[in-house]
Amino acid sequence: MSRRGSPIPTVDLGLQNAPVQDVVTLEREPDGNSPLIRKSFVNDPTLVRFLEERVRQVSEFKQQLLDYIELSKKDKKWRTAAANAITILVRAGVQFIKTDLRGIQIPGADLSYGTFDSALLQDADLRQANLRGIWLRRTDLSGAQMTGARFGELPLLAEEDVVHSCTYSPDGKFFAAGTETGDISMYTTSNWKRARVLRGHEREVRSVVFSPDSNQLASAGEDTHIRLWDMKTGSCVVILYEHHHPVTAVAYSPQGDQLASASDDWTVRIWDIANVECIKTLRGHNSWVLNVAYSPKGDQMASSSGGTILLWNVDTWVCSRTLSGHSNNVWGIAYSPQGDQIASSSEDSTIRLWDVEVGICQRVLVGHSDVVYQVVYSPRGDQVVSGCKDGTLKLWDAQTGTCRTSFTGHSSGVTSVAFSPKGDQIASGSYDKTIRLWDVTASASGFMSTGHGREVCSLKCSAQGDLVATASSDCTIRLWDVNTGGHRKTIGSHDDSVFSVAFSPEGDRIVSGSGDHSVRLWEVGTGTCLQTFLGHGDWVNGVAYSPQGHQVASASEDMTVRVWDVATGECWWVLHGHKDWVLSVAYSPDGRHIVSGSKDLTVRIWDIETGECCQILGGHTGWVRDAVYSPQGDKLASAGYDNIVRLWDVQSEECCSILIGHGDRVACVAYSPQGHLLASGSWDKTVRLWSVATGECRAQIQDLADILKSITWSTSQDVNCLLTGCRNGSLVKWELVEDADLCGARMCWNATNGALTMPGALIQDVRGLTELNKQLLKQRGAIGEPGYILSETHKELITTATIVSNIKETSSGTEIEQPSGADSPMEHL
């Protein structure tokens, strides 16, 4: 990952199985009087930003920082300097790929979002280190000290269906999640075990909320019912029936004596809890009422419908003000704890902060790329968290409106968010059927990822080889420097997921296809949309530029392929023939034919001059997800959801090779520039490199961060480079090394979206992990068994001991390292 388009320097590249060298070779001991040695600057963002720029500008300073890291391996007096050094280097975008970091002492370092692919970190001192969003694929952490290490999240909670709503109890002891099935999962927050499941709703649970005393839970259902649950027994004590359409939200008054409910029947109803009766029906909205919230004092209530928010006087139940500004449905509303501000989230992809007293919009928060379903204030009111259909959460400063950080990891849209009562944790529910638990304190560095928030659906290199364009289901298109991995720019966005992207032959334009049914043409230099091609009646899954640059082809789920004139925007051909979704499209090298792959299990070849289908290639028993021509144009490769790659002879229409080896669906294929190798990417999280001549698998890239969604070869002079895009939003460049009969791959750079990445990481005999951290790392693909597992009680003892130690040292005037230089009382167990 890089910032502001800067290069991504790496330390010590090597083949996956090649020997690893030291991070540096010291010629002399560095300056022992540097301030970096005496005091920790890890938590001083202003100074760290200044020093990271110096790393980019002064190579000698970078070497000095690497020296400190090397010296810490043998003498703990250098550990403060080493922790400072590696924090600065990570912030400067230095990636530690296959680097020997055995025994380094960097307690308290901030390694968040850093890349440590295949690095050696055996016996390293990582106590109290911030490891949020770190890339540790195939890294060896054996024997490392990790007491107090923060990973930015807890283990995810898996549900059987979509999670539509979630909330913490006010006392912080319980957590509730409403699901698509109608079940409500109850968790104890001390160990995050499921305590019970509340059953009764017949359809999805749209909203859950605890009473102020935590003794009762209210739930709103798509089945038009509201249920009140006793938290001691888990039984449903009351069912409220009077709504005639799905109930979208419920909210308790601060006193707990009333419950407000919002419904698709265009009304808000107010219920007396003690007497279990509806005491008021509020009418005034002219559409579905999507949310409702009481002010902290209980004197006002807000409800949202369409693009407006109505404020109601609780004493009179008269609408006192209408807040207008959003251009689409307002899904989320929340009062600040002080009651002076309302936050609203909308289908227009924005969050608005409103002054309650005067009804004016103070700030518009922009950064999400899709529907923002929910927004919630922190208990102190200084932060706002939002959850979006683009799969991300964003944490905003409630006063300035600036985005402090993003949380990525969900593989689908975020439907609900909740702050813990202490404000140290955020929970999020998603369409991906999981609940994720985020550590707010680990995000203090404010470092922002430049990666996609969701899967990289497509990627292509420019003909000049200097840029790679990526299309994502976060609705954006991004440009990256092929050589450095630096993020150049985000050139545009669609109204839905962007499934495919392609460069023009000159590299000055990009064409994209989207779930919004459109094909768009962009100017690379300015990011301006030059043309929108309309005509498809469903998602556009694939796009391709003709070699001559005068045409664009598009493949759609409307079962057609369309050919467009770039100059006029007119549709030349609508190619009918596929019996199901068309998933990919590509031109032949001479531009005379088009190949398409389809859900109907076939590959079709089309004549551009006549618009006729001239060949149908059958053989796959699963969807044909991708089909491409070889550089010579005499062969085709097709990727099937039957786990197979097929090679076809174009002239004879025969399948000349069946490439078997992937353990799951094959999503993408790409020929090398010379045409002698074929790369295939799969849902089994591997890339395979095949010899086109023999059909032999020559190499594998394993333990990738997630399911492979897209793959392409570099078009620069460095033709032995491959780029991969994954479902989790990561983009990686690999260098291939061929030596006689051997073929291997090594990572050149990595641009992540900030998701914690651990596949193949070895955690054997790691010390000081909590049980929850162990579960988290195992979920992320780590292998091996850690050593002493720290219980939550012992964790609290260590925290207390550290505080006492710091107080003693402060009173004696001693400079304190961050963390303290004294070993943890549990460290030797």
Side-chain angles (χ1 to χ4, degrees):
M1 177 175 42
S2 67
R3 296 170 57 179
R4 297 184 293 278
S6 58
I8 295 182
T10 58
V11 177
D12 196 21
L13 292 176
L15 291 174
Q16 287 191 337
N17 298 316
V20 182
Q21 301 175 2
D22 288 341
V23 61
V24 343
T25 301
L26 292 178
E27 296 180 358
R28 60 184 177 82
E29 191 169 286
D31 178 15
N33 297 317
S34 169
L36 293 172
I37 299 173
R38 299 193 303 270
K39 182 179 179 181
S40 172
F41 297 110
V42 170
N43 296 317
D44 186 337
T46 302
L47 182 57
V48 170
R49 278 195 295 270
F50 170 77
L51 294 175
E52 73 181 62
E53 290 299 330
R54 192 177 174 201
V55 168
R56 297 188 181 101
Q57 297 165 6
V58 184
S59 60
E60 292 82 3
F61 180 59
K62 176 183 174 182
Q63 186 59 53
Q64 179 185 350
L65 298 181
L66 293 171
D67 289 348
Y68 288 143
I69 296 170
E70 184 68 19
L71 286 166
S72 75
K73 294 179 178 180
K74 299 179 180 178
D75 192 338
K76 69 179 183 179
K77 78 174 184 179
W78 298 101
R79 63 185 178 185
T80 298
N84 284 326
I86 202 163
T87 297
I88 295 163
L89 289 169
V90 167
R91 288 291 159 273
V94 175
Q95 298 192 346
F96 295 85
I97 297 173
K98 214 160 182 67
T99 308
D100 188 349
L101 299 171
R102 286 176 289 190
I104 64 169
Q105 300 186 61
I106 52 169
D110 186 353
L111 308 184
S112 55
Y113 303 109
T115 294
F116 293 81
D117 191 87
S118 303
L120 301 184
L121 279 164
Q122 297 101 310
D123 301 313
D125 185 350
L126 303 175
R127 291 173 298 153
Q128 308 295 328
N130 185 354
L131 306 180
R132 179 184 174 222
I134 194 170
W135 180 286
L136 290 169
R137 171 188 169 272
R138 289 200 158 193
T139 293
D140 191 340
L141 292 157
S142 301
Q145 302 175 52
M146 301 187 76
T147 304
R150 295 169 294 155
F151 294 94
E153 55 186 301
L154 294 180
L156 63 82
L157 309 175
E159 291 291 333
E160 293 182 359
D161 216 317
V162 171
V163 180
H164 284 286
S165 52
C166 65
T167 187
Y168 288 86
S169 62
D171 61 13
K173 295 180 180 179
F174 295 98
F175 178 84
T179 69
E180 180 86 15
T181 61
D183 292 345
I184 302 169
S185 293
M186 300 294 303
Y187 294 88
T188 54
T189 58
S190 58
N191 58 11
W192 287 103
K193 301 291 186 183
R194 188 184 282 110
R196 58 166 59 106
V197 177
L198 309 181
R199 293 188 170 94
H201 283 289
E202 297 174 359
R203 296 171 65 185
E204 70 184 66
V205 178
R206 299 273 293 272
S207 177
V208 287
V209 61
F210 282 94
S211 62
D213 61 8
S214 300
N215 291 330
Q216 193 176 74
L217 180 81
S219 58
E222 188 81 7
D223 58 7
T224 76
H225 299 162
I226 301 165
R227 288 177 176 262
L228 304 184
W229 308 83
D230 184 283
M231 284 298 93
K232 292 182 179 179
T233 65
S235 59
C236 178
V237 292
V238 173
I239 302 176
L240 307 176
Y241 290 100
E242 292 195 25
H243 281 295
H244 305 299
H245 288 80
V247 186
T248 55
V250 284
Y252 279 97
S253 65
Q255 297 76 23
D257 58 335
Q258 290 180 353
L259 184 77
S261 59
S263 171
D264 285 354
D265 64 11
W266 300 17
T267 70
V268 176
R269 292 178 184 265
I270 310 300
W271 307 85
D272 182 289
I273 297 295
N275 296 316
V276 194
E277 63 177 346
C278 178
I279 57 175
K280 191 71 178 178
T281 299
L282 307 182
R283 306 180 191 276
H285 289 290
N286 56 9
S287 184
W288 303 335
V289 187
L290 298 173
N291 215 323
V292 65
Y294 275 93
S295 66
K297 292 181 180 178
D299 58 340
Q300 191 180 75
M301 191 193 70
S303 56
S304 66
S305 175
T308 63
I309 302 163
L310 302 186
L311 303 185
W312 305 85
N313 184 303
V314 169
D315 291 332
T316 63
W317 292 117
V318 172
C319 178
S320 58
R321 180 170 283 119
T322 300
L323 307 181
S324 300
H326 284 293
S327 61
N328 212 324
N329 291 329
V330 178
W331 285 89
I333 50 174
Y335 278 91
S336 67
Q338 296 76 23
D340 59 338
Q341 195 178 70
I342 286 177
S344 59
S345 61
S346 169
E347 202 163 330
D348 64 12
S349 306
T350 70
I351 296 119
R352 288 178 177 256
L353 303 181
W354 307 84
D355 184 295
V356 172
E357 186 175 353
V358 298
I360 295 175
C361 178
Q362 298 171 309
R363 302 193 185 280
V364 180
L365 313 185
V366 178
H368 284 298
S369 59
D370 212 324
V371 182
V372 188
Y373 282 122
Q374 194 170 9
V375 62
V376 177
Y377 279 91
S378 64
R380 290 169 51 188
D382 59 330
Q383 298 182 100
V384 171
V385 65
S386 55
C388 182
K389 189 180 177 182
D390 65 13
T392 68
L393 293 80
K394 290 186 182 292
L395 191 62
W396 310 83
D397 187 296
Q399 294 303 313
T400 67
T402 57
C403 182
R404 292 184 173 180
T405 192
S406 293
F407 300 91
T408 55
H410 282 295
S411 60
S412 193
V414 178
T415 58
S416 54
V417 292
F419 252 108
S420 66
K422 292 181 180 179
D424 58 342
Q425 195 176 81
I426 293 170
S428 57
S430 170
Y431 286 121
D432 66 11
K433 305 179 184 180
T434 69
I435 299 158
R436 288 188 179 250
L437 307 168
W438 311 93
D439 180 1
V440 178
T441 61
S443 65
S445 68
F447 191 56
M448 298 290 291
S449 165
T450 57
H452 283 292
R454 291 176 66 183
E455 65 188 74
V456 178
C457 302
S458 173
L459 53 87
K460 289 291 187 298
C461 285
S462 63
Q464 295 72 25
D466 58 332
L467 293 175
V468 59
T470 53
S472 172
S473 54
D474 67 9
C475 307
T476 68
I477 303 159
R478 297 174 189 249
L479 292 179
W480 310 82
D481 188 298
V482 170
N483 295 319
T484 67
H487 175 241
R488 290 281 189 90
K489 64 172 68 172
T490 300
I491 69 163
S493 63
H494 280 269
D495 298 326
D496 207 325
S497 299
V498 189
F499 294 122
S500 187
V501 68
F503 274 99
S504 64
E506 297 79 15
D508 59 339
R509 294 181 178 183
I510 285 175
V511 64
S512 58
S514 168
D516 62 13
H517 305 184
S518 75
V519 177
R520 297 189 184 186
L521 190 65
W522 309 87
E523 186 174 58
V524 171
T526 64
T528 304
C529 181
L530 303 173
Q531 185 85 258
T532 300
F533 306 112
L534 299 175
H536 282 297
D538 211 327
W539 289 1
V540 181
N541 292 314
V543 291
Y545 240 107
S546 68
Q548 295 77 22
H550 66 303
Q551 287 179 350
V552 164
S554 55
S556 171
E557 292 190 7
D558 64 10
M559 299 188 289
T560 70
V561 174
R562 287 180 177 254
V563 180
W564 310 86
D565 184 289
V566 171
T568 66
E570 294 180 1
C571 181
W572 281 13
W573 296 111
V574 180
L575 309 181
H576 295 278
H578 281 295
K579 307 303 181 184
D580 213 322
W581 300 344
V582 190
L583 302 173
S584 70
V585 65
Y587 276 90
S588 62
D590 62 10
R592 297 171 59 188
H593 294 90
I594 285 175
V595 62
S596 57
S598 172
K599 186 182 175 183
D600 67 11
L601 316 187
T602 69
V603 177
R604 288 178 179 253
I605 298 177
W606 310 84
D607 187 298
I608 287 297
E609 291 297 322
T610 66
E612 297 294 327
C613 177
C614 50
Q615 294 180 34
I616 302 175
L617 309 178
H620 281 288
T621 57
W623 302 5
V624 181
R625 190 62 187 84
D626 198 11
V628 295
Y629 277 95
S630 66
Q632 296 76 23
D634 58 336
K635 287 185 171 58
L636 285 172
S638 57
Y641 273 11
D642 52 8
N643 306 356
I644 287 173
V645 177
R646 287 178 176 262
L647 302 184
W648 308 85
D649 184 282
V650 173
Q651 188 170 5
S652 68
E653 304 182 24
E654 293 182 356
C655 178
C656 50
S657 290
I658 299 176
L659 311 181
I660 299 174
H662 281 296
D664 207 331
R665 288 163 278 188
V666 186
C668 47
V669 285
Y671 279 96
S672 64
Q674 302 92 338
H676 70 299
L677 289 177
L678 182 79
S680 58
S682 169
W683 284 48
D684 65 10
K685 303 181 183 179
T686 71
V687 173
R688 285 180 175 257
L689 300 170
W690 309 87
S691 168
V692 173
T694 66
E696 173 192 7
C697 180
R698 299 202 59 202
Q700 279 193 80
I701 303 174
Q702 297 177 304
D703 294 324
L704 292 178
D706 206 338
I707 290 170
L708 260 291
K709 301 295 289 187
S710 50
I711 194 167
T712 192
W713 292 80
S714 170
T715 52
S716 66
Q717 294 180 349
D718 189 6
V719 294
N720 284 324
C721 286
L722 189 71
L723 293 107
T724 56
C726 286
R727 185 178 62 177
N728 73 340
S730 62
L731 170 66
V732 180
K733 180 181 177 181
W734 308 87
E735 181 183 0
L736 304 184
V737 178
E738 294 184 86
D739 183 13
D741 294 333
L742 299 177
C743 186
R746 60 185 178 186
M747 181 186 287
C748 298
W749 52 255
N750 163 47
T752 78
N753 65 358
L756 178 65
T757 304
M758 301 283 299
L762 184 61
I763 58 172
Q764 188 67 34
D765 299 325
V766 166
R767 290 170 285 168
L769 288 177
T770 65
E771 181 61 40
L772 289 175
N773 280 340
K774 175 188 172 183
Q775 292 176 28
L776 171 67
L777 301 190
K778 290 282 192 176
Q779 281 183 352
R780 298 297 186 274
I783 57 177
E785 286 301 318
Y788 180 81
I789 299 296
L790 200 64
S791 69
E792 293 301 314
T793 303
H794 286 152
K795 183 179 177 182
E796 292 176 6
L797 286 173
I798 289 173
T799 303
T800 304
T802 303
I803 293 172
V804 172
S805 174
N806 287 353
I807 292 172
K808 288 181 179 179
E809 293 192 45
T810 303
S811 63
S812 63
T814 305
E815 184 73 40
I816 303 174
E817 288 187 45
Q818 298 294 327
S820 170
D823 286 341
S824 160
M826 301 298 294
E827 194 61 57
H828 303 294
L829 294 179

